[in-house]
Amino acid sequence: TAKNEGRGRWAVHDPSRDEAETARFTLSAALPSAVAHDEFFVLYQPLVSLADQRVRGVEALVRWQHPRLGVLSPQLFIGPAEETGIIVALGRQVLEHACRDARAWYEEFGPAAPFVSVNVAPRQLQEPGLVAEVAALLDRTGLPSDRLQVELTERALTIDEGAPLKALDGLRAMGVRIAVDDFGTGYSNLSYLRKLPLDVIKLDGSFGEGLREEELSDEVDERIVGTLVALGHALDLTVTAEGVETAAQAARLRTLGCDEGQGWLFAPALPSADIARMLRRGTPLGPRPGDLLGA
Ligand code: C2E
Ligand code: MG
Ligand code: MG
Ligand code: MG
């Protein structure tokens, strides 16, 4: 009843939490018009081969250029966008930007051009038209399908086995690569590893945190990473480590068998023009401060 709700709210009253909730609600309500007015842009963070430091691919990371609040992190709006379903339209725009930019790199750099890896939300995977849309997009932009990768969280892969499996089979059949994002932080039920057509696992940054210090490496973290790498390789998957911040960590991840790394050590998320400049120079840009909002 209203009375009980009222009492419950009194008991936990916390003004800062009210403010956060109001802000979240306000952002959420503003999303549809922001999508309609093209207020989103995409930055790209290099995925670097740990063996030779070459940029193999880039991950597309969306930002919201809010007219009053400035550039907003996806951590603030992806959740609300998923809850309201607007993620489907937003995700379509991200895919479009990503494929266009990747096509431009492909034109300039040919086979050495990086693939682009795009985060796809669970909701998008359940849209029956996704595969046809991606096919049309590749066709329209002229991007070869092997230059596109999609990143899905374990949550997306375990929600309802029917829909994701069909979509993933369709994307895979076209030549698009499939990556599991934030691997190891979702459900412990790993049966999807047997059932789904996968190419890459991205180890969540939290597993590499204990490997950052030059002197003191966390032995448990090392064993966990080593074991997850072995699991990935046993399944013929490429293993990418997220959140690589120090040279010591990159060296350790390489020793543990990780194939690729992504993180501030190599480069933050950058505008597409900076990616092109970096590719012309031939190496990642090197350490830079945090990239939450991407400069
Ligand atoms: P994610 O897919 O796991 O992306 C990696 C996040 O780690 C990015 O945060 C990236 O900027 C950050 N990061 C990069 N290097 C480092 C590092 O060395 N250390 C640390 N601590 N963090 C690093 P970002 O850009 O804020 O994105 C946050 C999340 O928002 C993403 O996590 C992804 O789940 C989601 N997201 C971003 N763009 C999209 C999108 O277009 N669609 C969907 N559905 N989700 C998106
Ligand atoms: Mg990702
Ligand atoms: Mg990730
Ligand atoms: Mg992560």
Side-chain angles (χ1 to χ4, degrees), residues 7-145:
R7 208 191 297 151
R9 215 176 297 149
W10 268 127
V12 296
H13 185 77
D14 169 358
S16 70
R17 194 174 136 208
D18 285 356
E19 256 169 57
E21 251 162 53
T22 307
R24 193 175 155 86
F25 178 78
T26 309
L27 280 189
S28 182
L31 277 165
S33 106
V35 169
H37 293 100
D38 265 323
E39 289 174 10
F40 297 89
F41 65 99
V42 179
L43 298 176
Y44 300 93
Q45 186 176 32
L47 300 159
V48 177
S49 161
L50 290 174
D52 60 13
Q53 304 268 105
R54 289 173 64 128
V55 178
R56 294 258 183 87
V58 296
E59 178 173 6
L61 294 162
V62 70
R63 302 289 183 262
W64 180 359
Q65 181 70 60
H66 191 282
R68 277 178 302 107
L69 302 175
V71 178
L72 301 182
S73 156
Q75 264 132 3
L76 290 172
F77 62 82
I78 291 294
E82 288 195 41
E83 283 157 25
T84 59
I86 194 76
I87 191 70
V88 173
L90 173 55
R92 206 174 272 139
Q93 292 188 355
V94 173
L95 271 165
E96 178 95 32
H97 282 295
C99 289
R100 277 185 198 294
D101 287 332
R103 164 67 197 185
W105 301 323
Y106 187 73
E107 213 142 280
E108 183 170 351
F109 303 100
F115 62 84
V116 69
S117 193
V118 181
N119 293 286
V120 170
R123 266 303 293 270
Q124 289 174 271
L125 209 59
Q126 288 171 318
E127 285 289 297
L130 179 72
V131 174
E133 249 176 58
V134 171
L137 178 60
L138 292 173
D139 200 49
R140 187 151 32 88
T141 56
L143 182 70
S145 60

Side-chain angles (χ1 to χ4, degrees), residues 59-61 119 151 181-182 202 242 262:
E59 178 173 6
L61 294 162
N119 293 286
E151 297 192 9
D181 203 357
D182 302 333
K202 296 186 74 178
E242 302 185 307
Q262 171 180 10

Side-chain angles (χ1 to χ4, degrees), residues 226-249:
T227 302
L228 294 178
V229 170
L231 173 62
H233 286 171
L235 297 169
D236 274 329
L237 305 175
T238 297
V239 180
T240 304
E242 302 185 307
V244 183
E245 296 185 4
T246 72
Q249 188 185 4

